[in-house]
Amino acid sequence: MSRRTFIAGNWKMNTTIDEAVDLAKGVVAAVGSVTDVDVAVCPPYTNLSAVAEIVKDTNVKLGAQDVHWEEKGAYTGKISCAMLKALGVELVIVGHSEQRTYFGETDETVNKKVAAAIAAGLGPIVCVGETLDERNGGNMETVVERQVRGAFAGMAAADVFKCVVAYEPVWAIGTGVNATAQQANDAHIFIRKILADMYDDDLAQTIVIQYGGSMKPANAKELLGQSDVDGGLIGGASLKAADFAGIVTPA
Ligand code: PGA
């Protein structure tokens, strides 16, 4: 199976404009000409325009961290797909656990955002993952299955092919405690099983599934070496160009 490795940096609510420019320049200097791995950075909205200029004509793609599903109108504080597209954004993270936990994101809103992003020509990075309580309660599969089915509900296979899935166990995000390579791989295989059931094996085996949750240079090689782990969605370690580069091209 020839899925390409895809490493994306999720800068979250970090970087002022000057910091974002510095970080983007560092990322481009370190990995801007890497061709055997797909690379993206997802800065805050306020820095997309400036970072777009820096990553232009490099192999680093630009992503946003969220999007609203409506096209335009009275939605104070929200950003539309068209607004992102106009800045040269190609990708958008949807359904991150921080959106789910703190800002009322549901499987239904994830579904609307994924559909809107695809209709607009943006590539969604669809995040799923269980909490520690859910894992310890033996409910990992139930939760992840509900999230995957919810995210893609009503969507044609041709559209789901345009998505990337990020498996991000909530207990591993920002905690320094990553899922073991085995735990990550098992979850990814499980996600492919759900997609095979919803669609077919071709889709299940073709779709890129990133792992996210305390991935760093020291554990990247082992995680990325798993059969079904195709990349990483990187938070903390994406805020230093050298660390991010150490994941894109692990030693
Ligand atoms: P982390 O975050 O790498 O800091 O754990 C990952 C994410 O939330 O996407």
Side-chain angles (χ1 to χ4, degrees):
M1 180 49 55
S2 58
R3 295 183 297 263
R4 279 176 64 82
T5 301
F6 176 28
I7 307 293
N10 172 11
W11 296 1
K12 306 193 180 184
M13 197 175 74
N14 295 291
T15 68
T16 60
I17 186 105
D18 290 350
E19 291 164 347
V21 165
D22 282 352
L23 180 54
K25 284 181 178 166
V27 169
V28 165
V31 299
S33 52
V34 168
T35 53
D36 55 344
V37 175
D38 291 329
V39 180
V41 291
C42 305
Y45 290 136
T46 49
N47 303 335
L48 286 168
S49 189
V51 173
E53 281 302 307
I54 295 163
V55 302
K56 195 170 67 187
D57 302 326
T58 76
N59 287 317
V60 180
K61 295 193 170 84
L62 186 62
Q65 297 174 18
D66 189 26
V67 73
H68 193 57
W69 58 85
E70 295 289 351
E71 279 178 24
K72 60 162 81 167
Y75 303 101
T76 301
K78 297 300 174 206
I79 297 291
S80 73
C81 294
M83 293 173 189
L84 298 178
K85 286 283 288 181
L87 294 179
V89 172
E90 291 179 67
L91 303 159
V92 61
I93 297 169
V94 176
H96 191 278
S97 69
E98 287 148 16
Q99 285 287 336
R100 294 179 192 260
T101 304
Y102 306 135
F103 305 116
E105 186 92 281
T106 64
D107 294 331
E108 288 71 32
T109 59
V110 171
N111 183 245
K112 287 184 188 180
K113 290 176 180 183
V114 172
I118 288 171
L122 290 167
I125 299 174
V126 182
C127 301
V128 298
E130 81 289 357
T131 64
L132 190 59
D133 278 355
E134 288 163 345
R135 175 168 281 263
N136 289 343
N139 296 317
M140 183 280 262
E141 294 196 345
T142 311
V143 170
V144 170
E145 176 159 8
R146 192 202 73 222
Q147 292 174 337
V148 171
R149 288 188 184 276
F152 298 126
M155 295 183 53
D159 286 338
V160 182
F161 267 111
K162 295 171 185 156
C163 298
V164 166
V165 174
Y167 170 63
E168 299 206 301
V170 178
W171 47 272
I173 295 178
T175 58
V177 182
N178 59 283
T180 66
Q182 186 71 54
Q183 286 171 326
N185 206 44
D186 288 349
H188 288 216
I189 290 168
F190 177 66
I191 290 167
R192 290 191 205 284
K193 218 171 89 186
I194 301 163
L195 291 170
D197 185 56
M198 291 179 76
Y199 300 96
D200 57 28
D201 271 337
D202 183 31
L203 171 59
Q205 295 303 321
T206 305
I207 200 163
V208 166
I209 307 184
Q210 299 174 317
Y211 165 78
S214 300
M215 196 188 274
K216 48 186 181 269
N219 60 24
K221 197 166 190 166
E222 196 192 356
L223 286 160
L224 295 172
Q226 301 303 303
S227 62
D228 288 80
V229 178
D230 308 322
L233 183 55
I234 318 301
S238 72
L239 296 173
K240 287 201 179 116
D243 288 349
F244 188 61
I247 297 171
V248 174
T249 51

